[in-house]
Amino acid sequence: MGFTAASLIPPPAAQVGGGAAYELKKKSPSSGMNWGRRQMKGQRHGSKAAVARLFGPAIFEASKLKVLFLGVDQEKHPGHLARAYTLTHSDITAKITLAVSHTVNRSQLQGWYNRLQRDEVVAEWKKVQGHMSLHVHCHISGGHFLLDFIAKLRYYIFSKELPVVLKAFVHGDETLFRAHPELEEALVWVYFHSSLPQYNKIECWGPLREAACVGSAYSSDLVPPSDMPRKCPASCSCCFPAQSLIPWPQEFEQHQA
């Protein structure tokens, strides 16, 4: 996703990749997590606009997408059968690889190129108190102090590219969405993982159908921690899966507990 210059120093294998450019909205007093919604697309500072011109528009090209279904029923609702997405991109071939499986496809992340670039995006479907939502994880910085110097750029690029990622999810998993079109109305929660507080945050991007539209506008209202979907404290049938499919540190979920 255009991280050749921005990702030359890989973070530890235990973390995920990602980023964008939004103002700090709200800081959780106990954990340093920031909570906010995306701002209107037009509200950019001059330096951010220059970066946008440098990297060009984010455009989804179906011909460049390769989809791997690894042991999942293509039509089975993710509220009943665990479903995760692992997406990687090659700057050499411009190809996007999407794995649809029951958990993160670790083998997709093991090659030297992927470890160098660290531009993967991983996501999982969750049913919380009966409501479906898509949870997307991206890594901004951490693991090496030099990543802090390019965190702003990584944050911006990932935000610009995430609508393309979401389009890839919908297009690549089209059999699921044809069988269950209501999933396109599910809220998208984006987790930006960073060692810097201003980039370590969760953003609500609204319904998937809208979040996947490049150039669409989003509300700038605050999203307080109380708006995050929370699992029932006891075993129940309205929350699934019981544990996150993302094996990386779950500091955001710990904050909600």
Side-chain angles (χ1 to χ4, degrees), residues 8 10 42 55 58 81 109 116 130 158 178 192-193 198-199 244 248 253:
L8 295 181
F55 287 93
L81 185 68
L109 311 176
L116 181 68
F158 264 92
R178 281 200 302 266
F192 294 106
H193 299 267
Q198 63 266 41
Y199 302 122
S244 174
W248 289 274
E253 289 191 356

Side-chain angles (χ1 to χ4, degrees), residues 227-240:
D227 283 1
M228 279 292 296
R230 297 170 182 266
K231 295 184 299 184
C232 296
S235 178
C236 66
S237 61
C238 61
C239 299
F240 181 84

Side-chain angles (χ1 to χ4, degrees), residues 2-244:
F3 273 8
T4 303
S7 311
L8 295 181
I9 302 171
Q15 294 182 326
V16 196
Y22 306 116
E23 290 183 3
L24 174 65
K25 285 298 180 184
K26 188 173 183 180
K27 184 174 181 179
S28 167
S30 60
S31 68
M33 304 303 166
N34 301 318
W35 307 77
R37 271 192 194 163
R38 304 187 67 194
Q39 294 182 319
M40 299 294 287
K41 285 284 186 177
Q43 297 176 351
R44 305 286 192 191
H45 294 298
S47 61
K48 296 170 186 174
V51 173
R53 289 193 297 271
L54 174 64
F55 287 93
I59 301 173
F60 173 69
E61 297 181 52
S63 62
K64 294 183 178 180
L65 176 65
K66 176 183 179 181
V67 184
L68 306 173
F69 287 93
L70 306 176
V72 297
D73 185 325
Q74 294 187 33
E75 296 187 4
K76 189 71 172 180
H77 195 283
H80 306 289
L81 185 68
R83 200 180 202 91
Y85 300 129
T86 307
L87 185 143
T88 53
H89 172 268
S90 170
D91 286 327
I92 296 175
T93 65
K95 297 290 186 180
I96 298 174
T97 300
L98 171 65
V100 184
S101 56
H102 295 306
T103 186
V104 171
N105 183 26
R106 287 182 175 273
S107 63
Q108 192 175 340
L109 311 176
Q110 295 306 308
W112 68 268
Y113 183 82
N114 290 322
R115 291 201 301 269
L116 181 68
Q117 293 296 89
R118 296 299 302 182
D119 64 353
E120 71 271 10
V121 177
V122 297
E124 64 178 324
W125 282 102
K126 288 185 179 181
K127 181 174 71 170
V128 181
Q129 297 190 13
H131 298 286
M132 295 300 300
S133 52
L134 183 63
H135 298 252
V136 183
H137 292 254
C138 307
H139 178 81
I140 303 301
S141 66
H144 197 295
F145 75 95
L146 288 179
L147 283 178
D148 294 345
F149 292 104
I150 56 175
K152 183 177 181 180
L153 179 60
R154 288 177 61 88
Y155 185 46
Y156 172 76
I157 294 175
F158 264 92
S159 289
K160 181 172 71 71
E161 299 284 355
L162 273 173
V164 175
V165 171
L166 297 175
K167 277 186 175 293
F169 292 166
V170 175
H171 182 84
D173 209 5
E174 59 183 346
T175 302
L176 172 72
F177 287 100
R178 281 200 302 266
H180 306 284
E182 72 280 3
L183 290 175
E184 289 197 64
E185 304 304 324
L187 289 180
V188 176
W189 296 90
V190 183
Y191 299 64
F192 294 106
H193 299 267
S194 175
S195 57
L196 302 177
Q198 63 266 41
Y199 302 122
N200 198 56
K201 62 194 302 184
I202 301 176
E203 294 178 350
C204 180
W205 282 39
L208 176 58
R209 186 187 305 278
E210 299 177 15
C213 293
V214 178
S216 61
Y218 294 84
S219 169
S220 59
D221 296 337
L222 292 177
V223 178
S226 59
D227 283 1
M228 279 292 296
R230 297 170 182 266
K231 295 184 299 184
C232 296
S235 178
C236 66
S237 61
C238 61
C239 299
F240 181 84
Q243 300 295 328
S244 174

